[in-house]
Amino acid sequence: MSTNSEDTPDSPSPATFGKPWPEFNDGLTYRDLVRSPDSGLTLIDFYSIKHQSSAPLLGWLQRIENGQITVNGTVITDPKTVLRIGRELVYHRHPWKEPYAPHLLEVLFEDDHLIALNKPSGLQVLPGGQFQQRTVLTQLQWHMKNQESCPVPVHRLGRGTSGILLCAKTKLAKTKLAALFAEKTSQVVGNRKVNKVVKMSKIYRALVCGIINDDEIVIEEPIGTLKYPGVAKGLYVASSSGKPALSRLHVLKRDVKNNQTVVQVEIQSGRPHQIRIHLSFIGHPLLGDPLYVSGGIPKCCAPETVDETFAEDGGYNKPANPVPGDCGYYLHAHQLILCHPITNELCKITAPLPPVFLANESGESTNQE
């Protein structure tokens, strides 16, 4: 079985779905249970210590005084209230207006087990940070609300990355696809050659800064994390002590006039932000990437000045330094070839190229092959 979403004169228009986002989301509810080590803490101490990544001290004070926190179902506005073991704490985050995000999704392939979507740049896959409602997962839930279960993404694409997003419609498909992604990444160990039996191939298009002279490059720089402001779990970067990662680069077009190159990248491993990191590591970061620069490191490593102010909802203001979710770069998940996890048939799924790539790939290429 092969699917190809690139339009032909006789092909029907691709199926799309998506509802416009409401102005405000539904807010959120966070629950905690006071356990033995935290018994005796005051309400403000509990939240400012246990959830300091959510808001600064003054922000938590505002939330408590606003009546947004209950203890065993009773609103508590005194931040010095002493907590006892077994108490249930609930923080109600008020609805807020999330940043702009596109809402339409194109269906590239669908059967009883899988659905492959063409994700637009600027749309987050799963809830996180400022984007709790404006995500691919929410649109899937709305679209499939009358069905027994909702498809779930089995991998992620960066918010600024467009292209193929594979989702599982059944628990069995999810389990097998997760194992397939994990197996593909686990094959990359040091310089060991990858298994010749290809069960999955992920091919991207990228527009990078500068002219890449070699037609083919294999990048094997490991990827690890470093402490970085605004990223609670650490920022992924090129690191000799990180986990193995492998990307295969093929030059498609060199635009000498504009000092940029269009490349095709096949990734063997699936580390977060791998292509952005690997291309910047070799000195050719993605055009417009606000975060990564040559060497596979962030543009700004200096810690931000401690900001005691807080946003309207009590949380932190947006970091001054760039963060991974910032868009502006050009990266597209163009093709996915895989052995179907249930039928074992070969599937080839293609996401049409965005206009920027069509424009940059037209005309004569300076690639000498």
Side-chain angles (χ1 to χ4, degrees):
M1 172 174 56
S2 175
T3 72
N4 192 325
S5 68
E6 292 178 330
D7 291 338
T8 63
D10 298 323
S11 65
S13 299
T16 60
F17 68 89
K19 294 183 178 180
W21 307 113
E23 183 177 4
F24 290 89
N25 62 24
D26 298 328
L28 286 173
T29 297
Y30 299 90
R31 300 179 184 276
D32 284 286
L33 190 66
V34 179
R35 303 190 184 279
S36 179
D38 303 317
S39 181
L41 289 178
T42 63
L43 190 61
I44 184 59
D45 285 343
F46 179 90
Y47 278 103
S48 62
I49 294 171
K50 304 290 285 188
H51 298 290
Q52 59 180 331
S53 63
S54 171
L57 174 65
L58 294 178
W60 278 117
L61 280 172
Q62 172 185 281
R63 291 169 172 179
I64 293 170
E65 292 168 357
N66 281 350
Q68 293 176 249
I69 294 174
T70 62
V71 179
N72 279 7
T74 301
V75 174
I76 301 297
T77 58
D78 181 1
K80 294 183 180 181
T81 299
V82 177
L83 303 177
R84 300 302 179 196
I85 188 171
R87 297 289 193 269
E88 184 187 42
L89 308 182
V90 178
Y91 158 55
H92 300 276
R93 184 176 180 184
H94 295 319
W96 71 95
K97 187 174 183 179
E98 298 183 14
Y100 168 81
H103 67 275
L104 288 176
L105 291 160
E106 178 184 345
V107 178
L108 301 172
F109 169 78
E110 184 174 12
D111 64 12
D112 291 338
H113 313 282
L114 311 175
I115 180 171
L117 305 173
N118 188 6
K119 184 189 85 68
S121 173
L123 180 60
Q124 192 155 300
V125 175
L126 298 176
Q130 299 181 80
F131 295 93
Q132 294 294 326
Q133 185 179 67
R134 298 185 178 190
T135 67
V136 173
L137 182 60
T138 299
Q139 289 293 350
L140 282 170
Q141 290 169 341
W142 289 348
H143 183 61
M144 305 286 186
K145 64 180 180 179
N146 295 324
Q147 299 190 17
E148 289 185 7
S149 61
C150 173
V152 292
V154 293
H155 64 107
R156 297 197 191 193
L157 294 179
R159 190 164 73 88
T161 304
S162 60
I164 301 169
L165 179 69
L166 192 61
C167 305
K169 299 174 74 174
T170 65
K171 289 183 179 179
L172 180 60
K174 179 183 177 183
T175 299
K176 291 197 171 186
L177 284 170
L180 190 59
F181 277 98
E183 177 187 5
K184 185 175 177 65
T185 297
S186 68
Q187 290 175 348
V188 182
V189 180
N191 294 320
R192 182 163 65 86
K193 297 297 182 181
V194 299
N195 195 322
K196 291 184 178 180
V197 179
V198 178
K199 294 184 178 180
M200 179 185 293
S201 179
K202 297 162 66 179
I203 299 170
Y204 291 72
R205 285 284 205 280
L207 183 59
V208 305
C209 298
I211 302 300
I212 299 177
N213 294 320
D214 294 330
D215 292 340
E216 309 276 349
I217 300 176
V218 176
I219 309 170
E220 297 180 284
E221 177 67 11
I223 293 176
T225 60
L226 59 73
K227 190 173 182 180
Y228 186 81
V231 183
K233 295 182 179 180
L235 178 69
Y236 287 93
V237 296
S239 170
S240 59
S241 61
K243 294 181 178 180
L246 189 150
S247 303
R248 301 180 186 276
L249 180 153
H250 172 72
V251 171
L252 297 177
K253 182 180 178 181
R254 299 180 178 94
D255 183 350
V256 177
K257 180 180 178 181
N258 293 306
N259 193 36
Q260 58 194 35
T261 306
V262 180
V263 297
Q264 175 177 291
V265 184
E266 181 176 0
I267 58 173
Q268 177 65 28
S269 51
R271 307 300 178 195
H273 315 301
Q274 177 174 320
I275 294 177
R276 296 172 68 184
I277 293 168
H278 270 179
L279 288 171
S280 63
F281 174 74
I282 64 170
H284 297 279
L286 298 187
L287 186 67
D289 194 330
L291 177 59
Y292 293 104
V293 294
S294 294
I297 58 176
K299 186 175 296 185
C300 178
C301 286
E304 292 182 319
T305 303
V306 176
D307 185 0
E308 292 298 330
T309 64
F310 48 90
E312 185 177 348
D313 72 340
Y316 288 102
N317 288 307
K318 187 181 184 304
N321 291 338
V323 292
D326 292 342
C327 302
Y329 56 89
Y330 298 100
L331 180 61
H332 180 69
H334 183 45
Q335 283 191 333
L336 176 66
I337 303 170
L338 79 157
C339 182
H340 195 289
I342 307 300
T343 67
N344 290 321
E345 294 180 274
L346 184 66
C347 296
K348 180 180 178 181
I349 304 169
T350 302
L353 293 173
V356 66
F357 287 102
L358 291 173
N360 278 279
E361 291 186 31
S362 62
E364 291 187 15
S365 171
T366 60
N367 184 14
Q368 302 299 316
E369 296 183 319

